[in-house]
Amino acid sequence: TLSNCGVATSGFDVQYAMIDGVRYGHIIDPRTGLGVTSGLAATVIAPNAATADALASAAVVLGERADGMLEVRFLGVSVDLFWPPSP
């Protein structure tokens, strides 16, 4: 049971663009300037909704590194990552 916290999920199941057969998400990877292509989704529980939303988007960009990194750097934060099923 959750109370007095924020929960956010980010990914690109709905908001994306297909360009030359590549699916680019609406979340921009600042390292490339392009939308993420991993298909990863992230759910974050944080002390407030603004923090949860920001960290969920960051987790999608960071990928596997986000799992432990964000929980260590931000107190009271839980991160769950989800990859698309294999074809």
Side-chain angles (χ1 to χ4, degrees):
T1 302
L2 297 174
S3 63
N4 299 316
C5 64
V7 180
T9 298
S10 290
F12 64 93
D13 283 346
V14 177
Q15 294 180 317
Y16 63 90
M18 291 293 290
I19 302 171
D20 294 328
V22 178
R23 188 173 173 169
Y24 293 94
H26 70 288
I27 299 171
I28 304 299
D29 184 337
R31 297 168 293 194
T32 64
L34 300 172
V36 294
T37 58
S38 67
L40 176 70
T43 296
V44 173
I45 301 170
N48 59 67
T51 301
D53 184 46
L55 294 180
S57 295
V60 170
V61 173
L62 290 168
E64 277 186 40
R65 299 178 311 195
D67 210 10
M69 179 189 304
L70 296 178
E71 293 173 347
V72 170
R73 294 186 67 135
F74 297 91
L75 296 175
V77 167
S78 172
V79 178
D80 288 307
L81 303 176
F82 307 92
W83 281 266
S86 299

